[in-house]
Amino acid sequence: MVNGTIQGAVPKVAVVVCLLKGKTVMLGRRRSSLGDSTFSFPGGHLEFGESFGECAAREVKEETGLDIEKIEVLKVTNNIFEDKGKPYHYVGIYVRAMLASPDQEPENVEPDMCDGWDWYEWDNLPKPLFRPLQNAVDSGFNPFDA
């Protein structure tokens, strides 16, 4: 550590997709070394050269098999936290999206990364939430109001 900074540590950018269906949002329980067994939106790392919308569409397709549209940026968060003794710094780009076709159903395409996907009312979210999502909710974030 030099001047309070962990050497070699670089913030990562994650695009977080608030996929809306009626009055519900889609969440899955994480199976990951980071935030294991917590609920989170689909999403993932922004790849070099991608737009936020391209990343959102790619990640949702990879994780759920769903096609999305009407992607718009809602919020940017700065998340610095520790998980199991390891420090993390993520810039979260929260986007809102809709299903490209309302008759689509989510699949658990990556069962090693997620226990499955389901739809939840915003006022009745499952617990525990992934820490960055919990922080956003605690700060008043609501993808239906943004």
Side-chain angles (χ1 to χ4, degrees), residues 118-138:
D118 210 344
W119 300 97
Y120 299 91
E121 292 183 3
W122 187 253
D123 293 333
N124 194 26
L125 296 175
K127 302 286 187 221
L129 295 176
F130 184 44
R131 183 173 301 155
L133 176 55
Q134 185 66 61
N135 291 344
V137 170
D138 290 347

Side-chain angles (χ1 to χ4, degrees), residues 3-107:
N3 297 328
T5 303
I6 298 170
Q7 286 197 290
V10 176
K12 296 180 181 176
V13 177
V15 174
V16 181
V17 185
C18 307
L19 184 55
L20 309 185
K21 180 179 176 183
K23 296 184 180 204
T24 61
V25 295
M26 189 176 68
L27 295 168
R29 187 186 294 266
R30 298 171 63 90
R31 296 186 69 196
S32 165
S33 60
L34 180 59
D36 189 49
S37 297
T38 61
F39 287 88
S40 185
F41 292 121
H45 295 114
L46 183 69
E47 292 183 357
F48 183 82
E50 268 186 322
S51 71
F52 300 143
E54 290 167 340
C55 179
R58 176 183 54 77
E59 287 288 349
V60 169
K61 186 70 170 180
E62 288 176 0
E63 295 177 13
T64 71
L66 298 172
D67 294 311
I68 60 173
E69 65 181 11
K70 299 180 182 169
I71 303 164
E72 58 183 319
V73 174
L74 298 180
K75 180 178 182 73
V76 176
T77 62
N78 191 34
N79 306 283
I80 302 167
F81 58 98
E82 201 172 287
D83 190 75
K84 296 178 184 144
K86 183 176 177 186
Y88 291 91
H89 185 175
Y90 275 92
V91 175
I93 310 297
Y94 284 74
V95 302
R96 173 171 48 206
M98 305 295 182
L99 292 170
S101 174
D103 59 344
Q104 298 178 89
E105 291 295 330
E107 302 170 43

